Structure formats: structure tokens, C-alpha cells
Amino acid sequence: MTLWVAIGVLAVINFAIKAAGPALLGDRPLPPRVSLVVQSLAPALLAGLLIVALLGQGWREFDWRLLPGLTVIGVLWLLGRSQIVCIVAGVLVTVAVRALV
Amino acid sequence: MSRSVTPPEFGWRPGLRTGVGLGLAVFPVALSFGALATTLGWPPAATIICSVIVFSAGAQLALLTTLTAGSTLFLALGAATLINLRFLPMGIAVAGSLKGPAWKRALGAQTILDGSWAAAYQGAGRYDRLTMFGASAVQWPVWILGTVVGVVTAPPPTLVASLGLDLVFPGFFLVLLLDTFRSTPRAPWIAGIAILLTGGLLLVAPAGVAVLLSSLAALVILIGRGRGGTGRSDDAELA
């Protein structure tokens, strides 16, 4: 019973967290300083997500063999390649590195 | 950045395409959740329903691990909520891009997922809601299907690494982060501070909290600006 309650309550909390900003703020213009910060959230959160995906909780999921793949992705991005080409090349390099090391 | 780059596409179809790429990464994670939940004794129906109505890898794994470790309901929900609090600033960021009455915007906001939200970013604080909808519309059934397959087959967790699929999420976030360097003033500075902040926080705090607090790096944009938020030459880039 506790499990079902936990799942149900978590679903409601999750809904509320996602809905809060759009439902309460709508498309009302934000004050200029707040607007500037909101516009800067993307690089901040993306960098945070990248590091969490790479390192994991307590850095326990860090695997240096992902770094060559990420480097290839960065280089291909600089060369103007599409997103999917960058990712596929990175995955292939990672598989190759893991096969060798 | 003075170089030639393929311009990103936005809308339903590009969103669906992005969702297929993200789905490749989501599937093994969902599969792992289903397999782990089964191993730890969750009933199959509860595991699958959890994926249908919660649809959040971090929160579901937090709930699973804390509850099965003997934690109280309150603490388990607290851990899962902390992980998902990162969606609060993401929701604020997309608020102006969602249309219609409050209930409709609240429903549209349910498509906020890390990858979908990031793919929908058009630069200068704007988000394309159709791209976000499309990317999430693919990931949701993939997430449920992965959970079902995990519950039924319970494969070894090493499968994801051997296929290199654990690179998809960090790789995707890297590409999108680099894209913001073209559209957001001071993005490299903001990203650098966020990386240091998140890296340090991961040693002492849950991953969800680390991501949430990484948003503090956005405050860098205010340095050197007047109270009105203007006064720097890079304001023109935001217009």
C-alpha cells in the first residue's frame, strides 16, 4: 500500500513542479533583471546536466573512456556537423576505446 | 563564434527526430529501472504504472532505492522531489513560450524533460514548444516500453556501457551547451562556473540538487549591470 501511495504522490508532486512556472507566470513579461537570468539558465543547467551525466553521484559513475568520444563530439561540432552525426561518431569512438582498453 | 554551423531546426518533425535519438538513450535506462525494481521486489504492475505516471528516471530510481532501503515514505518522497526540483527553473524558462490558459500551459509543461527542454532552446531565452512536445512524445512510450522489457527480461546492467549508449546523454548535453555559446551572452563563463559548482556539489549532495543549484551560475549575467538589467553591450544579442 505504501508503494502505491508513494508512486501516486510522486506523480502529483512531479506534475506540480513542472506546471508551477508556466501556470503561474504565463507569458507575462518578467522584470529585465529576472529576464536576463532566465535567458542564462540554459547554459547553466546544460552544463550542470552534462557534469551529472558524466560524473554521477559522488563522481562514482565517472569513466574516463567517455572523454575521447566527447572530444570527438566537440571537434565535429566545431566543424559544423549535425547533432546526430556528432553523437553517433562519439558513440562509435567510445565503443572502440572500450574495445581497446 | 565565427564558423559555419548547421542551423538547428525547430518544430514537431525536428522534435520527433530528436526524440528518436534521445529514445536510444532512454530505452536502456528504463530497462535498467524495470530490471532493478523487479530484482528489489516491486510488483510488475507498480513498476510499470510508476513509469507511466511519473516518467522521470532520477525520481523513480530515487524512490526505488530509498523505499527498498527501508526509508520512510516522507524521506523517500523528499529524495525523489529534490531530484525533480530542477524542473522548476526549466519550467520558468519555458513559461513564456507555452500558449493558452493556465491549465493548458500546465499540461504542456509536463513535456519538460532534460533532453526535450534542451533541444527546444532557440537562444535568447526563447523555447520552441513544438520541438519539446515532439521530443517528449517519442520518449514517453519508449520509457514505458523499456520498463516493461526490463521487468520481463531483467538483462545485465553492463549492456548499456558495452554499446556506448551511456555517452548519448552527456554527448547530447555537450552539443546543446556548445550551441548556447552562439546565442547567449557570457555562456562560456556561465557554463564554466556551473561545471565547477556542479562538480563540487556532486561530492556532497544528491544529483538533482547539484543540477538545481547549477542554475545559480546564471546570476553571472547580472555582474556589471545596473538595477534595470541593462548597460552592457551584449544586451543587443539578447534582443
Side-chain angles (χ1 to χ4, degrees), chain B residues 3-29:
Chain B
R3 50 177 193 74
S4 136
V5 173
T6 308
E9 294 179 86
F10 298 100
W12 261 107
R13 289 171 68 100
L16 291 171
R17 278 200 299 272
T18 300
V20 170
L22 289 168
L24 288 174
V26 161
F27 185 81
V29 179

Side-chain angles (χ1 to χ4, degrees), chain B:
Chain B
M1 294 263 145
S2 58
R3 50 177 193 74
S4 136
V5 173
T6 308
E9 294 179 86
F10 298 100
W12 261 107
R13 289 171 68 100
L16 291 171
R17 278 200 299 272
T18 300
V20 170
L22 289 168
L24 288 174
V26 161
F27 185 81
V29 179
L31 192 139
S32 305
F33 169 73
L36 184 62
T38 303
T39 306
L40 293 175
W42 273 23
T47 306
I48 295 164
I49 293 291
C50 187
S51 279
V52 172
I53 65 174
V54 177
F55 185 28
S56 167
Q60 287 179 225
L61 286 168
L63 189 72
L64 172 66
T65 49
T66 48
L67 275 183
T68 51
S71 179
T72 64
L73 177 63
F74 182 76
L75 286 176
L77 284 171
T81 301
L82 279 177
I83 284 175
N84 271 6
L85 270 181
R86 70 185 185 281
F87 293 127
L88 195 60
M90 289 182 190
I92 292 171
V94 301
S97 304
L98 295 170
K99 308 292 179 195
W103 67 266
K104 206 170 177 181
R105 292 197 301 271
L107 275 182
Q110 300 313 307
T111 61
I112 298 174
L113 305 172
D114 295 332
S116 307
W117 172 85
Y121 186 58
Q122 295 177 298
R126 294 190 311 274
Y127 292 80
D128 183 79
R129 69 188 200 289
L130 296 181
T131 304
M132 191 167 76
F133 294 168
S136 296
V138 175
Q139 290 178 81
W140 189 47
V142 169
W143 178 251
I144 297 167
L145 180 66
T147 304
V148 172
V149 173
V151 167
V152 174
T153 62
T158 50
L159 185 67
V160 175
S162 62
L163 295 176
L165 294 176
D166 50 339
L167 182 87
V168 174
F169 270 119
F172 184 69
F173 292 136
L174 175 62
V175 170
L176 293 166
L177 174 63
L178 292 170
D179 282 343
T180 69
F181 288 9
R182 288 182 287 133
S183 59
T184 307
R186 301 186 189 177
W189 283 101
I190 293 166
I193 292 169
I195 285 169
L196 292 175
L197 196 59
T198 311
L201 283 167
L202 277 175
L203 295 171
V204 294
V209 176
V211 173
L212 176 70
L213 294 180
S214 72
S215 61
L216 292 176
L219 296 172
V220 167
I221 198 74
L222 295 178
I223 294 174
R225 291 176 185 274
R227 290 189 66 82
T230 57
R232 297 280 301 190
S233 59
D234 50 16
D235 282 339
E237 295 176 56
L238 293 168

Side-chain angles (χ1 to χ4, degrees), chain A residues 8-22:
Chain A
V9 172
L10 180 59
V12 172
I13 291 172
N14 198 32
F15 185 98
I17 289 172
K18 289 183 176 180

Side-chain angles (χ1 to χ4, degrees), chain A residues 48-66:
Chain A
L49 288 165
L50 167 64
I51 293 304
V52 167
L54 192 60
L55 301 180
Q57 179 76 48
W59 293 35
R60 283 189 291 272
E61 290 166 29
F62 177 63
D63 181 352
W64 68 266
R65 294 172 299 178
L66 290 174

